[in-house]
Amino acid sequence: MKKKVKTDEMTIDMIEGIGPTTMTKLKNAGYMSVMQLAVADPYTLTIDLDIKARDKRKNLLRCTTGSSQLDNLLKGGIETHAMTEFFGEFGSGKSQIGHTLCVLAQLPVEKKGLDSNVIFFDTEGTFRPERVEEIAIARGEDPDKILDGLHLSKISHSATLELMVKDLAKYVEEFKSKMVIIDSLISLHRAEYAGMGQLATRQQRLNVLVHQLLRVAENYSVAVVTTNQVMDAPDTFFGDPTQPVGGNIIGHASTYRIYLRKSGENRVARTLDSPYHPYDEVRFTVKAEGVTDPEDKKKKIVEEALENEAV
Ligand code: GTP
Ligand code: MG
């Protein structure tokens, strides 16, 4: 007797009549299950399958984080065509980075922005528009203009997040956005699929989610920024530091992973598992203007500039 497969467990390989080329295209575009294909809207599906391999490096942009030190760690800032994950314990600065990017991504390229609108998914209810206003004002930008360019979505169920991400290509085009921030990526799944028996389902759903995000990042020249709360320093875990929360999936999909920790008034950021960046550690801080360099670093930069002028 044939084993009965549940509808939500059916993969696209089980569909008869799909040729190998289309099958590869579908998989590359992140369509793995019959369910995903069934609920995909035709608009997104057409775009996904029509995407030609583009020269991604050609129009690669980098967005400043507000801290020259953190930018250095990222080799110039947050990259488009890539997914950057900030992970760390509570209060380590993940959400503040997100708030600061809401302002900075909208700045022109000459000011190290992306000249773009911003899409922000808030899954923890911690987004504060007035904080974005404060950061904009402190940086001499028009707060109303910045808030106009911000598309905020408060999400409280993992299914909603999945739906939004599934249609992200559409939103990115509609809002002309090159910066998508998800604060945080896995908290809803973590809460809803809490039992050990649900671990496989959770990982599978997160897997689909991160691959869809990567696909949008790569195909639409978008910088995808995610946050992930972890309970402890990576050194104290065996293997992957996000193991207790997100498993390996997030780590392997993110292009860049930055681990954040508190150090008094300052925050320390360091790279982890990056194929492009050597191990490195820098300091930044959070002030009225959002993420910025610590005072001593700023002083040093000014002193060096003055010295150079004097020569
Ligand atoms: P969780 O979401 O709890 O995991 O923490 P997080 O990593 O998102 O921390 P968040 O970015 O919210 O806060 C980091 C730090 O930024 C705080 O501990 C404060 O020191 C600082 N901070 C937060 N809000 C403000 C603000 O409105 N003004 C200033 N100047 N600093 C702030
Ligand atoms: Mg936060």
Side-chain angles (χ1 to χ4, degrees):
M1 206 177 84
K2 253 187 164 177
K3 189 175 170 275
K4 209 162 176 241
V5 183
K6 281 194 224 147
T7 319
D8 59 0
E9 285 175 359
M10 288 168 81
T11 60
I12 56 168
D13 304 279
M14 294 173 177
I15 308 172
E16 282 176 27
I18 298 185
T21 317
T22 311
M23 189 63 85
T24 309
K25 271 191 184 177
L26 280 167
K27 285 184 179 171
N28 286 346
Y31 294 91
M32 302 293 180
S33 71
V34 170
M35 192 56 95
Q36 270 180 287
L37 196 58
V39 299
D41 76 285
Y43 175 86
T44 311
L45 192 59
T46 314
I47 294 177
D48 285 345
L49 298 190
D50 276 349
I51 297 287
K52 310 256 183 321
R54 294 175 191 156
D55 184 1
K56 287 169 195 161
R57 297 290 124 186
K58 223 157 73 182
N59 51 0
L60 188 146
L61 293 173
R62 285 198 169 90
C63 181
T64 180
T65 58
S67 153
S68 66
Q69 295 306 301
L70 193 52
D71 286 355
N72 284 345
L73 188 77
L74 291 158
K75 299 284 169 273
I78 307 229
E79 211 175 275
T80 57
H81 302 92
M83 195 156 127
T84 304
E85 176 195 348
F86 290 98
F87 70 104
E89 60 175 334
F90 72 95
S92 58
K94 304 180 295 292
S95 297
Q96 288 303 307
I97 291 176
H99 282 75
T100 308
L101 289 175
C102 287
V103 177
L104 297 180
Q106 297 193 47
L107 301 186
V109 176
E110 307 84 76
K111 285 176 143 179
K112 298 189 199 159
L114 301 179
D115 198 8
S116 138
N117 290 330
V118 175
I119 295 175
F120 195 109
F121 295 118
D122 175 22
T123 72
E124 302 192 325
T126 52
F127 182 81
R128 292 189 298 131
E130 55 279 11
R131 177 64 178 134
V132 172
E133 256 181 314
E134 183 189 25
I135 295 171
I137 293 167
R139 290 179 177 271
E141 304 297 330
D142 177 355
D144 294 332
K145 212 175 132 210
I146 295 290
L147 288 179
D148 273 353
L150 180 64
H151 298 273
L152 172 70
S153 187
K154 285 184 186 282
I155 299 176
S156 40
H157 299 285
S158 67
T160 317
L161 180 64
E162 287 174 8
L163 276 175
M164 304 289 280
V165 169
K166 179 173 74 67
D167 290 338
L168 190 57
K170 202 166 67 180
Y171 298 127
V172 158
E173 290 219 315
E174 199 175 309
F175 300 141
K176 298 191 174 35
S177 179
K178 290 193 175 303
M179 172 67 75
V180 174
I181 302 161
I182 307 182
D183 185 21
S184 82
L185 183 61
I186 67 172
S187 56
L188 295 172
H189 286 82
R190 195 195 314 171
E192 289 171 39
Y193 298 91
M196 276 307 277
Q198 291 171 292
L199 202 63
T201 314
R202 182 180 81 185
Q203 295 308 83
Q204 193 244 328
R205 301 191 83 96
L206 282 170
N207 190 19
V208 170
L209 202 66
V210 292
H211 283 97
Q212 284 174 334
L213 284 171
L214 253 189
R215 169 178 55 89
V216 173
E218 287 171 355
N219 293 342
Y220 295 84
S221 313
V222 169
V224 174
V225 174
T226 66
T227 69
N228 182 5
Q229 196 195 61
V230 293
M231 306 301 173
D232 216 334
D235 315 297
T236 60
F237 295 124
F238 293 100
D240 195 294
T242 59
Q243 193 66 39
V245 240
N248 281 322
I249 284 161
I250 313 289
H252 291 233
S254 295
T255 325
Y256 303 112
R257 308 187 68 206
I258 309 296
Y259 171 66
L260 305 176
R261 67 183 159 84
K262 293 180 261 191
S263 167
E265 285 289 290
N266 291 339
R267 299 289 176 270
V268 177
R270 80 178 205 220
T271 48
L272 216 79
D273 297 352
S274 166
Y276 309 107
H277 299 163
Y279 173 88
D280 208 351
E281 197 173 271
V282 299
R283 272 164 203 278
F284 68 94
T285 190
V286 181
K287 294 267 169 66
E289 69 267 36
V291 169
T292 187
D293 287 320
E295 279 307 323
D296 53 331
K297 268 283 181 307
K298 268 194 220 161
K299 233 170 91 188
K300 212 170 143 222
I301 291 167
V302 173
E303 275 167 11
E304 273 172 12
L306 288 175
E307 256 173 47
N308 287 341
E309 247 173 55
V311 175

